[in-house]
Amino acid sequence: MGLTPRQEKIAEMVKTLGPITGEQIAERLNVTRAALRPDLAILVMSGMVEARPKVGYYYTGKNALSLFTEQISRIKVQDVQSVPVVVTVVTSAYDAVVTMFLEDVGSVFVVEPGGILAGVVSRKDALKVAMGGSDLHKMPVKVLMTPVPKIIVTSPDESVLMAAKKIIENEVDSLPVVSPVSQGGNKAQEVVGRLTKTNIARLFVELGEGRGGNTYS
Amino acid sequence: MGLTPRQEKIAEMVKTLGPITGEQIAERLNVTRAALRPDLAILVMSGMVEARPKVGYYYTGKNALSLFTEQISRIKVQDVQSVPVVVTVVTSAYDAVVTMFLEDVGSVFVVEPGGILAGVVSRKDALKVAMGGSDLHKMPVKVLMTPVPKIIVTSPDESVLMAAKKIIENEVDSLPVVSPVSQGGNKAQEVVGRLTKTNIARLFVELGEGRGGNTYS
């Protein structure tokens, strides 16, 4: 955050002695209350220190990154998602893998009529079966895919941060982005996008280069 | 950034009229120079406004994300990298893929004695060959792997931001982290780690949750 030595000193003082009033800090530093104001304003602004009326200043432990945290939680899946690559449930496992190569994606989504999510096929699933010596030509994609109840999904208005946590915690490469629809009275999920680790890595690069602020906020 | 209305007003003034001195701003707002000091300090601190001696304040157009940009560029590959998963050059393609499954990684690195990088095998490479009907048991890993001159690498002290750009631009899932070594007078690269899109997604989550500041700065 680039604090000055005096600001560091004040932060340390608030951390150790807080809650502490501005007058008490001024006294200890042997400066006037007015001289202290800009420094306190910056510490409060940075989120590191908070002011509570009639109590004084206390330490929050937050740093400059808190500002980023706030901004990042506003970026939604729909801001960074990719177009989904889908095959129908009647496809063969072989054709699903060919689609994967043609579109150069790590996973394809298997859909029923109306774009309703039925399953996901990943490179890992396909490689496992191919290594096992099975003939993918004769295998329906339904046998190869991970079926719906086991699939982790996200929605367009979920924060990318939450979706990224799902990807990490469930050790998957991508999440189908779905919208709820009613199908014959039952709840179903229409595939509307694809969120991958590549989307997240690209967002990381954009934010790291300071380009995220214009695009997403 | 949570600027106050007065700070917003000053920022706008600096943007439109800058460079402008503190005295000129104070005069226009009908306040004293001292009363203005905390606001100007915050605007300078945020990076939105810069002060140039004998010239005045001018607008930079930077936002709160600039602080993040600065912090992020200090995070190095070695701060987030994973342990590399390697096989030797005399392995069969089949064993390389089995290693990939046993270790649950998307790519394995092929090394010569001394841990010298010779090649990389990805799930995509393996799936392509398996789909083509080749017998991976009889195929040496050397035939399957992408060989060294074509491999994009990173080093422990490269910034994660630069490494992430390499991953995105070259459309790969991971980079071998290498250190230069001399091998019989020739330059070679020893494999010391593995940087994946998962490492970057995990870092994104940590930063987004405000945990990055303690770990990396």
Side-chain angles (χ1 to χ4, degrees), chain A:
Chain A
M1 187 78 188
L3 295 180
T4 65
R6 186 157 86 176
Q7 286 158 5
E8 295 272 13
K9 204 167 171 184
I10 296 169
E12 190 53 39
M13 203 178 283
V14 173
K15 189 177 179 178
T16 325
L17 307 170
I20 181 170
T21 65
E23 284 74 15
Q24 289 168 328
I25 299 171
E27 202 171 293
R28 282 176 174 269
L29 289 176
N30 207 18
V31 296
T32 66
R33 179 74 187 79
L36 208 61
R37 208 161 285 136
D39 292 324
L40 282 169
I42 281 168
L43 289 171
V44 169
M45 192 68 194
S46 77
M48 193 184 282
V49 161
E50 276 186 31
R52 203 174 280 168
K54 296 185 184 172
V55 177
Y57 294 92
Y58 62 98
Y59 192 74
T60 64
K62 289 184 197 168
N63 55 33
L65 280 175
S66 310
L67 292 169
F68 169 69
T69 305
E70 246 185 77
Q71 295 226 1
I72 211 133
S73 63
R74 288 192 212 122
I75 305 173
K76 294 189 185 306
V77 167
Q78 64 195 350
D79 298 328
V80 301
Q81 71 184 28
S82 294
V83 173
V85 175
V86 301
V87 295
T88 67
V89 279
V90 295
T91 315
S92 71
Y94 182 84
D95 284 343
V97 178
V98 168
T99 302
M100 206 178 276
F101 275 103
L102 288 177
E103 302 282 343
D104 197 21
V105 289
S107 47
V108 292
F109 304 147
V110 183
V111 294
E112 287 165 14
I116 304 303
L117 182 66
V120 172
V121 175
S122 70
R123 263 185 206 142
K124 191 175 162 186
D125 300 331
L127 184 57
K128 198 182 284 175
V129 171
M131 290 287 288
S134 304
D135 186 351
L136 291 171
H137 286 86
K138 291 177 186 160
M139 184 183 283
V141 73
K142 279 191 159 183
V143 176
L144 182 60
M145 74 187 191
T146 301
V148 148
K150 292 186 191 165
I151 303 173
I152 314 294
V153 299
T154 181
S155 60
D157 59 354
E158 187 168 47
S159 77
V160 178
L161 186 59
M162 280 303 299
K165 280 185 81 166
K166 287 182 180 176
I167 286 179
I168 295 295
E169 285 167 9
N170 296 284
E171 299 183 1
V172 291
D173 285 329
S174 71
L175 300 176
V177 184
V178 299
S179 282
V181 285
S182 175
Q183 200 191 35
N186 293 321
K187 282 180 186 171
Q189 299 170 318
E190 186 188 346
V191 177
V192 296
R194 179 170 60 100
L195 186 78
T196 67
K197 280 190 230 174
T198 306
N199 296 138
I200 294 161
R202 190 174 291 130
L203 175 59
F204 172 81
V205 170
E206 287 177 4
L207 292 170
E209 292 186 335
R211 282 184 285 137
N214 304 323
T215 317
Y216 307 108
S217 69

